[in-house]
Amino acid sequence: RIATWRKQPGMLGLRFTMHRPFLRPLLTEGRIDWLWPEAEKAGVPVMTLALHSDMHLIDRVAERHPRLRLTIDHLGLTTGKGEEAFRHLDHVLALAKRPNVAVKVSCLPHYATDEYPFRALHPYIRRVYDAFGPKRMFWGSDLSRLPCSYRQSLTYMSEEIPWLTAGDKEWILGRGLCEWIGWKIQG
């Protein structure tokens, strides 16, 4: 099915969560290794949520399959708040050396130690921006875990980070993801 995946209406890629104990073996034991070359060959991008401690495995996949577009969901964050949540962010930032890896800066308010406009997140967002740049850094909300309104989950990124340029915001808030997964922009 991978070979014809993108020919089906609305199918632009695949998403796997591999951060829970019962799902980690997909990645850590190589149970999903069959997927990477098939997705690469078919041009099907893959988004995944994996633990920071498993990012070296994602790096290996990205290295072996340079035409496979991989996106790390939620910056690989799964637990904690503030410094505790971002303690091993360097494992994710190391993937920036691979041009076929992007990150989603999604669900970040859930990991904040402060309230809207979540200024405590700015240093972490800046590190991600400096590593990946705005074209490989995709905003997302994750409504299921937001400690704020949907609007605030958007405006903290679109209005409250003073060093992001209008061009940066265009890429981060939609254009980058659309181009990454081949979603045709209407207009």
Side-chain angles (χ1 to χ4, degrees), residues 126-139:
R126 184 63 196 223
R127 291 179 63 207
V128 173
Y129 176 90
D130 288 345
F132 285 91
K135 294 182 181 181
R136 293 190 296 145
M137 180 178 162
F138 315 137
W139 171 85

Side-chain angles (χ1 to χ4, degrees), residues 65-85:
H65 305 283
R67 291 183 326 278
L68 174 62
R69 290 191 172 227
L70 292 164
T71 305
I72 307 302
D73 279 339
H74 309 319
L75 292 179
L77 299 172
T78 58
T79 61
K81 301 278 184 196
E83 191 173 313
E84 178 188 353

Side-chain angles (χ1 to χ4, degrees), residues 23-141:
L23 295 170
R24 279 188 74 217
L26 289 170
L27 184 62
T28 60
E29 296 175 11
R31 295 181 188 177
I32 200 166
D33 284 353
W34 63 269
L35 171 71
W36 313 125
E38 294 300 317
E40 180 182 35
K41 184 170 50 176
V44 175
V46 177
M47 291 186 182
T48 185
L49 178 57
L51 297 175
H52 287 164
S53 60
D54 293 335
M55 289 300 152
H56 68 285
L57 299 170
I58 298 294
D59 183 50
R60 196 173 309 147
V61 171
E63 180 181 31
R64 289 181 182 156
H65 305 283
R67 291 183 326 278
L68 174 62
R69 290 191 172 227
L70 292 164
T71 305
I72 307 302
D73 279 339
H74 309 319
L75 292 179
L77 299 172
T78 58
T79 61
K81 301 278 184 196
E83 191 173 313
E84 178 188 353
F86 291 90
R87 179 182 27 216
H88 299 291
L89 182 62
D90 287 342
H91 296 299
V92 176
L93 300 180
L95 296 172
K97 69 182 179 234
R98 306 276 180 221
N100 59 326
V101 177
V103 292
K104 283 175 57 188
V105 286
S106 50
C107 196
L108 296 190
H110 176 75
Y111 299 100
T113 55
D114 58 345
E115 294 182 3
Y116 181 85
F118 311 114
R119 287 192 174 87
L121 293 174
H122 290 199
Y124 304 113
I125 294 168
R126 184 63 196 223
R127 291 179 63 207
V128 173
Y129 176 90
D130 288 345
F132 285 91
K135 294 182 181 181
R136 293 190 296 145
M137 180 178 162
F138 315 137
W139 171 85
S141 63

